[in-house]
Amino acid sequence: MLGTGLEFAPGTTDDCKKLVARLFKPSEILGAYRYARASLKTGDLVMVGSESDPAGFNVEPRTEYLKRLRQVLGAKAPRTMLALGIAHKSAHGVAQLPFESDAMWLIITRGKEMPIMCVLFTTPYEAVAAAAN
């Protein structure tokens, strides 16, 4: 039997992986992504969750997220946007997957600290059935 799991894009730090695992279940992330993908009719999505309140996600197209980010950053936007991978590539581009695949940017806000940004994508795995007695 095949299952679906979430993997992190290459280069994701262990601290980031631990934080995501502590805050969210893979099924929550994937469910929110797939619902938003169907509702918004795009797979180029950004999911924003909070370290202080991991009750869910705000999900929006990456283009809308970037517009909002530019507004918030104001005069600092051009220089800051150059440093952010999210401004240059979709999650599918980062993970080098076709657009039909499930891949998303996950951003975790952390109060006044810099948010954590990572790319997650689905991967199939073989679920091993329990041995019959």
Side-chain angles (χ1 to χ4, degrees):
M1 176 164 82
L2 286 178
T4 301
L6 286 176
E7 292 288 332
F8 291 89
T12 305
T13 66
D14 288 340
D15 287 344
C16 179
K17 292 175 184 178
K18 288 176 187 174
L19 178 64
V20 171
R22 180 174 56 85
L23 295 175
F24 308 110
K25 294 177 183 168
S27 60
E28 294 170 336
I29 297 170
L30 190 54
Y33 171 80
R34 286 181 172 167
Y35 177 80
R37 184 176 182 137
S39 299
L40 299 171
K41 300 192 182 355
T42 182
D44 190 8
L45 297 173
V46 175
M47 303 177 63
V48 180
S50 172
E51 182 177 32
S52 62
D53 182 18
F57 305 96
N58 292 323
V59 185
E60 62 187 317
R62 187 171 59 94
T63 54
E64 294 301 314
Y65 177 82
L66 293 173
K67 279 183 200 174
R68 239 180 357 93
L69 188 58
R70 283 184 186 95
Q71 289 173 342
V72 169
L73 292 172
K76 296 179 186 178
R79 186 174 63 233
T80 304
M81 297 300 271
L82 281 174
L84 296 177
I86 192 171
H88 309 289
K89 283 190 175 180
S90 68
H92 296 85
V94 171
Q96 299 181 344
L97 293 170
F99 191 70
E100 298 79 36
S101 301
D102 294 323
M104 75 258 2
W105 279 95
L106 176 62
I107 299 172
I108 301 172
T109 59
R110 305 169 61 211
K112 295 189 185 262
E113 293 182 50
M114 282 292 291
I116 300 290
M117 296 182 169
C118 63
V119 170
L120 296 166
F121 60 93
T122 58
T123 183
Y125 66 91
E126 188 172 348
V128 179
N133 290 346

